[in-house]
Amino acid sequence: MSVINWTTLPSLTALRAFDATARTSSFSAAARTLNVTHAAVAQQVKALEDHLGVTLLHRSPRGVVLTAQGENLATDLATGFTAIAEGLARVRDREETRPVRVTTTAYFANSVIFRHIADFWRAHPGVEVSFTPSDRSFDIVAEGYDIAIRAGGGDWPGLNAAHLVDSPTIACAAPVLVDDPGTDWSAQRWLLPHDSAWERDALRASGIDPDALNTLDVGNPALEIRAAEAGAGILLESEIDVHAALAAGTLKPAPIPIAHVSSYYVVTPPWRPRAAVRAFADWLHAACAPG
């Protein structure tokens, strides 16, 4: 591919004005094509002639007639602009068919998305969705994600955020503990990761000192629900994330009031999303709507 010296090229505006004029044989028709004034087109064509030092067309009351050099340039520009248009169309087509990349926590993916994803694909059979369940916070722009579902305050600089749903935080445990009136809740272990701050903040907001608790870190957030279901201790989690376990009866709310609510958001890069991304985001909002 040859190197282009951009400093020697005339403006794209002038080239577009001349191309439109050559195609229509009229400044007025070219102006309508470009949605500008007749005078603006004529001025840009004159600027192009001055830049090149040649006459590209002859003006007359009946329109314009291309000179030999104008004919040659018009042919080359038509080839170039057509190649550009076709290249852009190919990029758009590839982008529109690219899978929607979504990152969210494993809990949210299992409890909300995967329970209903078949409904989305029935409504949008041509849309592929690629999921990355993770508790790590991705730079979605740098890593090429279309959507992140995040809990927080809705303020992520440089990104778009739309409120999705609020969910109270609850303490829950296995029925073997909750249904036993003799359970000493003050002596029970809490299933808390060592490096997760939000759980400890939620406990403090509820008047509970997390540093005074007997805690257990199972090493993998995806195993916390399983450990709680097995009676290993108390799980602190957003209600929406343990909805399936609560509905199945494998977990029950523990009699420990928690004064914390998690707000979830659909977070997207700071540009207009393509149709497939909008469709998935709209479906998410409908799936999380009350009722």
Side-chain angles (χ1 to χ4, degrees), residues 4 6 8-23 30 34 40-41 43-49 51-52 56-57 70 73-78 80-81 84:
I4 297 175
W6 294 100
T8 66
L9 295 181
S11 74
L12 179 60
T13 301
L15 294 174
R16 290 175 64 235
F18 174 73
D19 177 73
T21 302
R23 292 173 187 266
L34 300 174
V41 172
Q43 183 179 13
Q44 289 296 330
V45 172
K46 180 62 169 61
L48 179 61
E49 290 177 319
H51 179 90
L52 298 174
L56 297 173
L57 48 80
L73 180 59
T75 298
D76 291 338
L77 286 180
F81 281 134
I84 291 172

mmCIF file of all heavy atoms in Angstrom, residues 4 6 8-23 30 34 40-41 43-49 51-52 56-57 70 73-78 80-81 84:
data_model
loop_
_atom_site.group_PDB
_atom_site.id
_atom_site.type_symbol
_atom_site.label_atom_id
_atom_site.label_comp_id
_atom_site.label_asym_id
_atom_site.label_seq_id
_atom_site.Cartn_x
_atom_site.Cartn_y
_atom_site.Cartn_z
ATOM 1 N N ILE A 4 0.410 7.932 1.430
ATOM 2 C CA ILE A 4 -0.288 9.124 0.952
ATOM 3 C C ILE A 4 0.241 10.340 1.690
ATOM 4 O O ILE A 4 0.303 10.352 2.922
ATOM 5 C CB ILE A 4 -1.807 9.002 1.178
ATOM 6 C CG1 ILE A 4 -2.362 7.829 0.365
ATOM 7 C CG2 ILE A 4 -2.517 10.302 0.798
ATOM 8 C CD1 ILE A 4 -3.836 7.568 0.623
ATOM 9 N N TRP A 6 -0.805 13.465 2.821
ATOM 10 C CA TRP A 6 -2.081 14.146 3.013
ATOM 11 C C TRP A 6 -1.949 15.667 2.889
ATOM 12 O O TRP A 6 -2.927 16.343 2.574
ATOM 13 C CB TRP A 6 -2.667 13.793 4.384
ATOM 14 C CG TRP A 6 -3.042 12.351 4.495
ATOM 15 C CD1 TRP A 6 -2.321 11.360 5.086
ATOM 16 C CD2 TRP A 6 -4.216 11.720 3.951
ATOM 17 N NE1 TRP A 6 -2.964 10.152 4.965
ATOM 18 C CE2 TRP A 6 -4.143 10.353 4.282
ATOM 19 C CE3 TRP A 6 -5.316 12.185 3.236
ATOM 20 C CZ2 TRP A 6 -5.128 9.436 3.915
ATOM 21 C CZ3 TRP A 6 -6.304 11.285 2.872
ATOM 22 C CH2 TRP A 6 -6.201 9.929 3.202
ATOM 23 N N THR A 8 -0.592 17.324 0.618
ATOM 24 C CA THR A 8 -0.683 17.792 -0.781
ATOM 25 C C THR A 8 -2.082 17.629 -1.350
ATOM 26 O O THR A 8 -2.340 18.100 -2.466
ATOM 27 C CB THR A 8 0.306 17.022 -1.662
ATOM 28 O OG1 THR A 8 -0.079 15.634 -1.720
ATOM 29 C CG2 THR A 8 1.731 17.137 -1.115
ATOM 30 N N LEU A 9 -2.969 16.987 -0.616
ATOM 31 C CA LEU A 9 -4.303 16.728 -1.147
ATOM 32 C C LEU A 9 -5.240 17.902 -0.881
ATOM 33 O O LEU A 9 -5.143 18.553 0.153
ATOM 34 C CB LEU A 9 -4.891 15.466 -0.515
ATOM 35 C CG LEU A 9 -4.183 14.147 -0.822
ATOM 36 C CD1 LEU A 9 -4.913 13.004 -0.147
ATOM 37 C CD2 LEU A 9 -4.091 13.910 -2.318
ATOM 38 N N PRO A 10 -6.150 18.161 -1.813
ATOM 39 C CA PRO A 10 -7.180 19.181 -1.554
ATOM 40 C C PRO A 10 -8.160 18.669 -0.516
ATOM 41 O O PRO A 10 -8.153 17.488 -0.138
ATOM 42 C CB PRO A 10 -7.845 19.357 -2.924
ATOM 43 C CG PRO A 10 -7.625 18.055 -3.627
ATOM 44 C CD PRO A 10 -6.281 17.554 -3.156
ATOM 45 N N SER A 11 -9.025 19.561 -0.067
ATOM 46 C CA SER A 11 -9.971 19.167 0.980
ATOM 47 C C SER A 11 -10.987 18.159 0.456
ATOM 48 O O SER A 11 -11.347 18.159 -0.727
ATOM 49 C CB SER A 11 -10.703 20.400 1.518
ATOM 50 O OG SER A 11 -11.660 20.854 0.579
ATOM 51 N N LEU A 12 -11.449 17.301 1.350
ATOM 52 C CA LEU A 12 -12.473 16.327 0.990
ATOM 53 C C LEU A 12 -13.760 17.031 0.584
ATOM 54 O O LEU A 12 -14.483 16.570 -0.311
ATOM 55 C CB LEU A 12 -12.735 15.388 2.164
ATOM 56 C CG LEU A 12 -13.807 14.318 1.961
ATOM 57 C CD1 LEU A 12 -13.450 13.404 0.796
ATOM 58 C CD2 LEU A 12 -13.987 13.505 3.248
ATOM 59 N N THR A 13 -14.050 18.163 1.212
ATOM 60 C CA THR A 13 -15.259 18.920 0.875
ATOM 61 C C THR A 13 -15.226 19.354 -0.588
ATOM 62 O O THR A 13 -16.236 19.253 -1.309
ATOM 63 C CB THR A 13 -15.388 20.151 1.785
ATOM 64 O OG1 THR A 13 -15.435 19.727 3.143
ATOM 65 C CG2 THR A 13 -16.642 20.948 1.454
ATOM 66 N N ALA A 14 -14.068 19.826 -1.055
ATOM 67 C CA ALA A 14 -13.938 20.255 -2.452
ATOM 68 C C ALA A 14 -14.073 19.071 -3.397
ATOM 69 O O ALA A 14 -14.718 19.165 -4.462
ATOM 70 C CB ALA A 14 -12.599 20.959 -2.654
ATOM 71 N N LEU A 15 -13.474 17.942 -3.049
ATOM 72 C CA LEU A 15 -13.564 16.753 -3.902
ATOM 73 C C LEU A 15 -15.004 16.244 -3.981
ATOM 74 O O LEU A 15 -15.473 15.856 -5.063
ATOM 75 C CB LEU A 15 -12.647 15.659 -3.361
ATOM 76 C CG LEU A 15 -11.141 15.961 -3.429
ATOM 77 C CD1 LEU A 15 -10.346 14.873 -2.722
ATOM 78 C CD2 LEU A 15 -10.677 16.098 -4.884
ATOM 79 N N ARG A 16 -15.709 16.253 -2.852
ATOM 80 C CA ARG A 16 -17.112 15.825 -2.871
ATOM 81 C C ARG A 16 -17.955 16.773 -3.718
ATOM 82 O O ARG A 16 -18.857 16.334 -4.447
ATOM 83 C CB ARG A 16 -17.664 15.767 -1.439
ATOM 84 C CG ARG A 16 -17.096 14.654 -0.593
ATOM 85 C CD ARG A 16 -17.587 14.720 0.837
ATOM 86 N NE ARG A 16 -19.018 14.521 0.921
ATOM 87 C CZ ARG A 16 -19.869 15.365 1.498
ATOM 88 N NH1 ARG A 16 -19.410 16.511 2.018
ATOM 89 N NH2 ARG A 16 -21.153 15.112 1.544
ATOM 90 N N ALA A 17 -17.694 18.076 -3.625
ATOM 91 C CA ALA A 17 -18.464 19.044 -4.415
ATOM 92 C C ALA A 17 -18.249 18.812 -5.909
ATOM 93 O O ALA A 17 -19.201 18.840 -6.703
ATOM 94 C CB ALA A 17 -18.063 20.463 -4.024
ATOM 95 N N PHE A 18 -16.995 18.578 -6.295
ATOM 96 C CA PHE A 18 -16.727 18.340 -7.708
ATOM 97 C C PHE A 18 -17.335 17.022 -8.166
ATOM 98 O O PHE A 18 -17.928 16.934 -9.262
ATOM 99 C CB PHE A 18 -15.220 18.340 -7.977
ATOM 100 C CG PHE A 18 -14.895 17.966 -9.396
ATOM 101 C CD1 PHE A 18 -15.140 18.856 -10.436
ATOM 102 C CD2 PHE A 18 -14.386 16.709 -9.704
ATOM 103 C CE1 PHE A 18 -14.875 18.511 -11.757
ATOM 104 C CE2 PHE A 18 -14.118 16.358 -11.011
ATOM 105 C CZ PHE A 18 -14.361 17.259 -12.043
ATOM 106 N N ASP A 19 -17.212 15.958 -7.350
ATOM 107 C CA ASP A 19 -17.780 14.664 -7.710
ATOM 108 C C ASP A 19 -19.291 14.771 -7.919
ATOM 109 O O ASP A 19 -19.835 14.254 -8.905
ATOM 110 C CB ASP A 19 -17.474 13.641 -6.619
ATOM 111 C CG ASP A 19 -18.100 12.291 -6.896
ATOM 112 O OD1 ASP A 19 -17.603 11.579 -7.791
ATOM 113 O OD2 ASP A 19 -19.094 11.944 -6.221
ATOM 114 N N ALA A 20 -19.984 15.449 -7.001
ATOM 115 C CA ALA A 20 -21.437 15.604 -7.137
ATOM 116 C C ALA A 20 -21.792 16.423 -8.370
ATOM 117 O O ALA A 20 -22.773 16.134 -9.069
ATOM 118 C CB ALA A 20 -22.002 16.267 -5.886
ATOM 119 N N THR A 21 -20.987 17.455 -8.670
ATOM 120 C CA THR A 21 -21.240 18.286 -9.850
ATOM 121 C C THR A 21 -21.028 17.485 -11.120
ATOM 122 O O THR A 21 -21.809 17.575 -12.092
ATOM 123 C CB THR A 21 -20.324 19.517 -9.835
ATOM 124 O OG1 THR A 21 -20.542 20.258 -8.635
ATOM 125 C CG2 THR A 21 -20.608 20.420 -11.035
ATOM 126 N N ALA A 22 -19.953 16.679 -11.154
ATOM 127 C CA ALA A 22 -19.670 15.866 -12.340
ATOM 128 C C ALA A 22 -20.763 14.838 -12.575
ATOM 129 O O ALA A 22 -21.136 14.562 -13.728
ATOM 130 C CB ALA A 22 -18.315 15.179 -12.174
ATOM 131 N N ARG A 23 -21.289 14.277 -11.514
ATOM 132 C CA ARG A 23 -22.335 13.253 -11.661
ATOM 133 C C ARG A 23 -23.653 13.847 -12.145
ATOM 134 O O ARG A 23 -24.426 13.173 -12.850
ATOM 135 C CB ARG A 23 -22.556 12.531 -10.326
ATOM 136 C CG ARG A 23 -21.387 11.653 -9.869
ATOM 137 C CD ARG A 23 -21.638 11.121 -8.457
ATOM 138 N NE ARG A 23 -20.491 10.413 -7.917
ATOM 139 C CZ ARG A 23 -20.312 9.094 -7.995
ATOM 140 N NH1 ARG A 23 -21.226 8.350 -8.599
ATOM 141 N NH2 ARG A 23 -19.258 8.527 -7.471
ATOM 142 N N ALA A 30 -26.124 19.310 -7.660
ATOM 143 C CA ALA A 30 -25.094 18.877 -6.709
ATOM 144 C C ALA A 30 -25.369 19.434 -5.318
ATOM 145 O O ALA A 30 -25.186 18.754 -4.309
ATOM 146 C CB ALA A 30 -23.719 19.315 -7.204
ATOM 147 N N LEU A 34 -25.866 17.330 -1.800
ATOM 148 C CA LEU A 34 -25.019 17.523 -0.624
ATOM 149 C C LEU A 34 -25.710 18.300 0.484
ATOM 150 O O LEU A 34 -25.110 18.512 1.551
ATOM 151 C CB LEU A 34 -23.728 18.242 -1.034
ATOM 152 C CG LEU A 34 -22.857 17.517 -2.074
ATOM 153 C CD1 LEU A 34 -21.689 18.399 -2.488
ATOM 154 C CD2 LEU A 34 -22.355 16.190 -1.517
ATOM 155 N N ALA A 40 -22.167 27.475 -2.435
ATOM 156 C CA ALA A 40 -21.154 26.715 -1.705
ATOM 157 C C ALA A 40 -20.498 25.674 -2.596
ATOM 158 O O ALA A 40 -19.272 25.486 -2.558
ATOM 159 C CB ALA A 40 -21.784 26.047 -0.494
ATOM 160 N N VAL A 41 -21.285 25.012 -3.444
ATOM 161 C CA VAL A 41 -20.717 24.024 -4.362
ATOM 162 C C VAL A 41 -19.793 24.700 -5.366
ATOM 163 O O VAL A 41 -18.666 24.248 -5.609
ATOM 164 C CB VAL A 41 -21.840 23.247 -5.081
ATOM 165 C CG1 VAL A 41 -21.256 22.353 -6.167
ATOM 166 C CG2 VAL A 41 -22.644 22.420 -4.088
ATOM 167 N N GLN A 43 -18.207 27.449 -5.131
ATOM 168 C CA GLN A 43 -17.005 27.943 -4.448
ATOM 169 C C GLN A 43 -16.012 26.811 -4.202
ATOM 170 O O GLN A 43 -14.802 26.982 -4.380
ATOM 171 C CB GLN A 43 -17.398 28.605 -3.130
ATOM 172 C CG GLN A 43 -16.241 29.222 -2.370
ATOM 173 C CD GLN A 43 -16.685 29.892 -1.086
ATOM 174 O OE1 GLN A 43 -17.810 29.699 -0.635
ATOM 175 N NE2 GLN A 43 -15.814 30.692 -0.511
ATOM 176 N N GLN A 44 -16.504 25.647 -3.786
ATOM 177 C CA GLN A 44 -15.616 24.523 -3.528
ATOM 178 C C GLN A 44 -14.980 24.003 -4.813
ATOM 179 O O GLN A 44 -13.799 23.637 -4.834
ATOM 180 C CB GLN A 44 -16.379 23.397 -2.821
ATOM 181 C CG GLN A 44 -16.745 23.692 -1.378
ATOM 182 C CD GLN A 44 -15.517 23.853 -0.499
ATOM 183 O OE1 GLN A 44 -14.471 23.258 -0.741
ATOM 184 N NE2 GLN A 44 -15.643 24.695 0.529
ATOM 185 N N VAL A 45 -15.740 23.953 -5.885
ATOM 186 C CA VAL A 45 -15.176 23.513 -7.167
ATOM 187 C C VAL A 45 -14.100 24.494 -7.635
ATOM 188 O O VAL A 45 -13.036 24.097 -8.114
ATOM 189 C CB VAL A 45 -16.276 23.359 -8.229
ATOM 190 C CG1 VAL A 45 -15.667 23.104 -9.612
ATOM 191 C CG2 VAL A 45 -17.231 22.222 -7.854
ATOM 192 N N LYS A 46 -14.362 25.794 -7.493
ATOM 193 C CA LYS A 46 -13.364 26.801 -7.864
ATOM 194 C C LYS A 46 -12.100 26.643 -7.015
ATOM 195 O O LYS A 46 -10.970 26.751 -7.513
ATOM 196 C CB LYS A 46 -13.953 28.186 -7.660
ATOM 197 C CG LYS A 46 -13.004 29.340 -8.022
ATOM 198 C CD LYS A 46 -12.633 29.308 -9.512
ATOM 199 C CE LYS A 46 -11.916 30.574 -9.964
ATOM 200 N NZ LYS A 46 -10.652 30.797 -9.251
ATOM 201 N N ALA A 47 -12.281 26.352 -5.724
ATOM 202 C CA ALA A 47 -11.124 26.145 -4.842
ATOM 203 C C ALA A 47 -10.320 24.929 -5.288
ATOM 204 O O ALA A 47 -9.078 24.934 -5.226
ATOM 205 C CB ALA A 47 -11.598 25.979 -3.403
ATOM 206 N N LEU A 48 -10.996 23.891 -5.741
ATOM 207 C CA LEU A 48 -10.293 22.707 -6.233
ATOM 208 C C LEU A 48 -9.506 23.026 -7.494
ATOM 209 O O LEU A 48 -8.346 22.596 -7.647
ATOM 210 C CB LEU A 48 -11.308 21.580 -6.490
ATOM 211 C CG LEU A 48 -10.730 20.270 -7.026
ATOM 212 C CD1 LEU A 48 -9.730 19.678 -6.049
ATOM 213 C CD2 LEU A 48 -11.857 19.271 -7.320
ATOM 214 N N GLU A 49 -10.119 23.791 -8.409
ATOM 215 C CA GLU A 49 -9.399 24.189 -9.629
ATOM 216 C C GLU A 49 -8.168 25.024 -9.288
ATOM 217 O O GLU A 49 -7.086 24.830 -9.874
ATOM 218 C CB GLU A 49 -10.340 24.971 -10.556
ATOM 219 C CG GLU A 49 -11.434 24.114 -11.183
ATOM 220 C CD GLU A 49 -12.389 24.925 -12.038
ATOM 221 O OE1 GLU A 49 -12.764 26.050 -11.617
ATOM 222 O OE2 GLU A 49 -12.768 24.441 -13.121
ATOM 223 N N HIS A 51 -6.469 24.920 -6.533
ATOM 224 C CA HIS A 51 -5.485 24.043 -5.890
ATOM 225 C C HIS A 51 -4.704 23.240 -6.931
ATOM 226 O O HIS A 51 -3.482 23.070 -6.807
ATOM 227 C CB HIS A 51 -6.201 23.083 -4.924
ATOM 228 C CG HIS A 51 -5.288 22.124 -4.230
ATOM 229 N ND1 HIS A 51 -4.684 22.405 -3.025
ATOM 230 C CD2 HIS A 51 -4.865 20.870 -4.576
ATOM 231 C CE1 HIS A 51 -3.927 21.391 -2.663
ATOM 232 N NE2 HIS A 51 -4.041 20.429 -3.587
ATOM 233 N N LEU A 52 -5.419 22.751 -7.950
ATOM 234 C CA LEU A 52 -4.776 21.929 -8.968
ATOM 235 C C LEU A 52 -4.139 22.754 -10.088
ATOM 236 O O LEU A 52 -3.279 22.260 -10.827
ATOM 237 C CB LEU A 52 -5.799 20.957 -9.570
ATOM 238 C CG LEU A 52 -6.417 19.939 -8.596
ATOM 239 C CD1 LEU A 52 -7.515 19.152 -9.303
ATOM 240 C CD2 LEU A 52 -5.359 18.998 -8.054
ATOM 241 N N LEU A 56 -11.491 22.479 -14.612
ATOM 242 C CA LEU A 56 -12.135 21.175 -14.581
ATOM 243 C C LEU A 56 -13.475 21.153 -15.297
ATOM 244 O O LEU A 56 -13.925 20.090 -15.734
ATOM 245 C CB LEU A 56 -12.341 20.733 -13.125
ATOM 246 C CG LEU A 56 -11.054 20.537 -12.302
ATOM 247 C CD1 LEU A 56 -11.395 20.271 -10.834
ATOM 248 C CD2 LEU A 56 -10.224 19.386 -12.868
ATOM 249 N N LEU A 57 -14.086 22.329 -15.427
ATOM 250 C CA LEU A 57 -15.377 22.365 -16.118
ATOM 251 C C LEU A 57 -15.633 23.774 -16.638
ATOM 252 O O LEU A 57 -15.044 24.754 -16.172
ATOM 253 C CB LEU A 57 -16.508 21.906 -15.178
ATOM 254 C CG LEU A 57 -16.593 22.508 -13.758
ATOM 255 C CD1 LEU A 57 -17.230 23.869 -13.772
ATOM 256 C CD2 LEU A 57 -17.370 21.554 -12.861
ATOM 257 N N GLY A 70 -11.171 17.402 -16.377
ATOM 258 C CA GLY A 70 -12.291 17.185 -15.472
ATOM 259 C C GLY A 70 -12.878 15.790 -15.613
ATOM 260 O O GLY A 70 -13.235 15.150 -14.622
ATOM 261 N N LEU A 73 -10.492 13.333 -13.894
ATOM 262 C CA LEU A 73 -10.589 13.398 -12.437
ATOM 263 C C LEU A 73 -11.926 12.832 -11.951
ATOM 264 O O LEU A 73 -11.978 12.135 -10.934
ATOM 265 C CB LEU A 73 -10.425 14.839 -11.953
ATOM 266 C CG LEU A 73 -10.502 15.041 -10.433
ATOM 267 C CD1 LEU A 73 -9.424 14.225 -9.723
ATOM 268 C CD2 LEU A 73 -10.377 16.521 -10.079
ATOM 269 N N ALA A 74 -12.998 13.121 -12.684
ATOM 270 C CA ALA A 74 -14.311 12.610 -12.287
ATOM 271 C C ALA A 74 -14.324 11.086 -12.285
ATOM 272 O O ALA A 74 -14.902 10.460 -11.381
ATOM 273 C CB ALA A 74 -15.389 13.157 -13.215
ATOM 274 N N THR A 75 -13.681 10.480 -13.290
ATOM 275 C CA THR A 75 -13.619 9.015 -13.351
ATOM 276 C C THR A 75 -12.846 8.454 -12.154
ATOM 277 O O THR A 75 -13.275 7.485 -11.513
ATOM 278 C CB THR A 75 -12.951 8.574 -14.659
ATOM 279 O OG1 THR A 75 -13.735 9.025 -15.771
ATOM 280 C CG2 THR A 75 -12.835 7.055 -14.726
ATOM 281 N N ASP A 76 -11.693 9.090 -11.853
ATOM 282 C CA ASP A 76 -10.882 8.605 -10.730
ATOM 283 C C ASP A 76 -11.608 8.790 -9.401
ATOM 284 O O ASP A 76 -11.567 7.913 -8.530
ATOM 285 C CB ASP A 76 -9.543 9.342 -10.698
ATOM 286 C CG ASP A 76 -8.646 8.964 -11.875
ATOM 287 O OD1 ASP A 76 -8.866 7.880 -12.442
ATOM 288 O OD2 ASP A 76 -7.743 9.750 -12.209
ATOM 289 N N LEU A 77 -12.274 9.940 -9.232
ATOM 290 C CA LEU A 77 -12.998 10.170 -7.981
ATOM 291 C C LEU A 77 -14.174 9.204 -7.831
ATOM 292 O O LEU A 77 -14.440 8.712 -6.729
ATOM 293 C CB LEU A 77 -13.508 11.612 -7.909
ATOM 294 C CG LEU A 77 -12.464 12.696 -7.634
ATOM 295 C CD1 LEU A 77 -13.136 14.069 -7.599
ATOM 296 C CD2 LEU A 77 -11.739 12.444 -6.324
ATOM 297 N N ALA A 78 -14.873 8.931 -8.933
ATOM 298 C CA ALA A 78 -15.989 7.991 -8.868
ATOM 299 C C ALA A 78 -15.499 6.617 -8.423
ATOM 300 O O ALA A 78 -16.128 5.953 -7.588
ATOM 301 C CB ALA A 78 -16.687 7.896 -10.221
ATOM 302 N N GLY A 80 -12.732 6.030 -6.661
ATOM 303 C CA GLY A 80 -12.286 6.118 -5.274
ATOM 304 C C GLY A 80 -13.426 6.197 -4.289
ATOM 305 O O GLY A 80 -13.443 5.483 -3.270
ATOM 306 N N PHE A 81 -14.414 7.070 -4.558
ATOM 307 C CA PHE A 81 -15.532 7.206 -3.635
ATOM 308 C C PHE A 81 -16.380 5.932 -3.578
ATOM 309 O O PHE A 81 -16.916 5.577 -2.535
ATOM 310 C CB PHE A 81 -16.399 8.404 -4.022
ATOM 311 C CG PHE A 81 -15.832 9.727 -3.593
ATOM 312 C CD1 PHE A 81 -15.795 10.806 -4.471
ATOM 313 C CD2 PHE A 81 -15.335 9.912 -2.315
ATOM 314 C CE1 PHE A 81 -15.278 12.026 -4.079
ATOM 315 C CE2 PHE A 81 -14.815 11.123 -1.908
ATOM 316 C CZ PHE A 81 -14.778 12.192 -2.793
ATOM 317 N N ILE A 84 -14.553 3.577 -1.334
ATOM 318 C CA ILE A 84 -14.739 3.983 0.060
ATOM 319 C C ILE A 84 -16.114 3.561 0.563
ATOM 320 O O ILE A 84 -16.260 3.005 1.655
ATOM 321 C CB ILE A 84 -14.554 5.500 0.207
ATOM 322 C CG1 ILE A 84 -13.087 5.886 -0.023
ATOM 323 C CG2 ILE A 84 -15.012 5.976 1.587
ATOM 324 C CD1 ILE A 84 -12.850 7.370 -0.093
#
